[in-house]
Amino acid sequence: MPAQILDGKAVAKAIKEKLAAGFAALKFKPKLVSFAVGVDDGTTSYRKSQKKQAEALGVAYEMVDLPESATAEQVVSRLRELNGDPGVTGIILQLPVPKHLNGEQLARLIAPQKNIEGIDEVNLGAIVMKKYRNIPCTARAAVELAAHSGVDLNGANAVVIGRSTIVGKPASLLLLDRNCTVTMCHSKSKNLKEIAKSADVLVTAIGTKAGMVTGDWIKPGAVVVDVGIIDIGEGKIRGDVDFDSASQVAGWITPVPGGVGPVTTQMLYMNLLDAAKVQQ
Ligand code: NDP
């Protein structure tokens, strides 16, 4: 029987409703700052959708922009001001930044309680310590979708392919906290296909070749969460998983597009809500 679809759009809609109730219950209006250096087409359209969602949730949304020519010192100084501003609840540094700057390093200078993307030593370390703060959004979305299948994660064999700081590592830790037995794989892993085939829950966060994970990598009935986004041209994207063959074997599967992506966006606001509650 073909797999059931883990529909990211439907899951995102349900989370949105919870978020709206959560923000409405706050005693103050939180503010999200979108900080950008220079102009980037992708960032501009991403900011439009961020703003729309912020407004729908009753969150103030402010854009802070520095020119393309801004020096690292100028960016750091502005970030420090935002960190120290009690009126700012959460900050997103929009990537990419101009080539003379290091976006990853700059993002790590956002105060941890305001770093709602959660990619810094404090927030990542907090996962290891089981003292959750802002959780990396994509990893959180992947695990949320796996849980949404309704499959009991307790004691399940989870295989995560990819070990990045943004997705693979935090997703593995989150699955471990759900009592999965986790195997983390990467480009040097041997017998990848056999390991993948042992997974009750398979999370792929690779991004090198569209459809690399085919149906013969999948354990019958497994939950497959495809985080990968690969541009295949003509404005189309695909995932790491070959949907057609994998969906004949898996029990549940996320599509690309329409799987992890829409849930990731909601996780950003989930982190903002959590940050607002702490700051309140
Ligand atoms: P990275 O490039 O940082 O990490 C990729 C990981 O995949 C690495 O650990 C790498 O191993 C591993 N890998 C690469 N090739 C292979 C292979 N042939 N076999 C096994 N493992 C392999 O990417 P990210 O983690 O940032 O992103 C992963 C994917 O997820 C990308 O497609 C990205 O676009 C997508 N993404 C999707 C998001 C969403 O919202 N849906 C958000 C963020 C990312 P090694 O460490 O050994 O190099």
Side-chain angles (χ1 to χ4, degrees):
M1 199 174 79
Q4 294 185 52
I5 306 296
L6 286 168
D7 180 353
K9 285 185 191 155
V11 174
K13 191 164 173 265
I15 296 171
K16 230 182 234 180
E17 281 160 21
K18 273 195 211 156
L19 281 170
F23 279 110
L26 289 173
K27 294 191 183 83
F28 75 111
K29 184 171 180 162
K31 189 203 272 187
L32 174 59
V33 167
S34 157
F35 184 26
V37 187
V39 180
D40 175 84
D41 287 349
T43 300
T44 306
S45 73
Y46 186 37
R47 281 174 127 184
K48 257 190 209 153
S49 72
Q50 277 174 357
K51 185 166 188 269
K52 200 170 148 202
Q53 172 140 17
E55 283 167 358
L57 292 171
V59 169
Y61 185 82
E62 185 183 327
M63 293 192 211
V64 171
D65 290 274
L66 287 185
E68 181 98 22
S69 59
T71 62
E73 291 71 25
Q74 286 167 329
V75 178
V76 171
S77 159
R78 192 70 183 93
L79 265 181
R80 294 220 163 107
E81 280 170 26
L82 294 167
N83 282 344
D85 181 345
V88 174
T89 318
I91 304 168
I92 303 171
L93 176 68
Q94 303 292 352
L95 299 177
V97 291
K99 285 201 175 68
H100 65 281
L101 300 170
N102 182 330
E104 220 172 274
Q105 253 177 31
L106 288 168
R108 281 162 45 205
L109 297 178
I110 299 171
Q113 72 275 19
K114 296 187 179 184
N115 190 348
I116 57 163
E117 295 193 288
I119 315 288
D120 60 77
E121 289 86 338
V122 174
N123 283 305
L124 289 165
I127 302 179
V128 178
M129 305 300 287
K130 286 182 96 169
K131 294 194 184 309
Y132 293 115
R133 297 172 64 143
N134 293 323
I135 303 169
C137 303
T138 309
R140 193 175 184 181
V143 176
E144 197 69 38
L145 276 162
H148 189 80
S149 68
V151 165
D152 188 5
L153 297 181
N154 243 315
N157 281 333
V159 172
V160 178
I161 311 182
R163 58 174 164 180
S164 71
T165 315
I166 296 173
V167 194
K169 274 185 200 154
S172 300
L173 289 167
L174 294 173
L175 288 164
L176 190 64
D177 273 358
R178 300 259 188 158
N179 292 330
C180 291
T181 304
V182 182
T183 307
M184 205 191 300
C185 302
H186 46 80
S187 67
K188 309 289 184 294
S189 296
K190 290 179 181 155
N191 306 321
L192 195 56
K193 181 171 158 182
E194 283 68 30
I195 298 170
K197 213 164 177 171
S198 72
D200 302 308
V201 177
L202 178 65
V203 176
T204 65
I206 312 167
T208 48
K209 185 176 166 236
M212 163 182 156
V213 175
T214 44
D216 54 340
W217 291 46
I218 314 274
K219 181 177 181 177
V223 178
V224 178
V225 178
D226 186 353
V227 178
I229 299 177
I230 297 117
D231 185 343
I232 57 161
E234 295 175 358
K236 290 187 182 151
I237 57 164
R238 290 280 180 276
D240 298 316
V241 176
D242 175 48
F243 186 86
D244 290 346
S245 61
S247 60
Q248 295 305 312
V249 189
W252 288 264
I253 189 166
T254 59
V256 178
V260 175
V263 182
T264 297
T265 313
Q266 302 313 313
M267 292 304 151
L268 192 73
Y269 288 92
M270 197 67 103
N271 281 340
L272 184 72
L273 178 60
D274 291 344
K277 283 181 187 162
V278 172
Q279 291 169 40
Q280 179 168 270

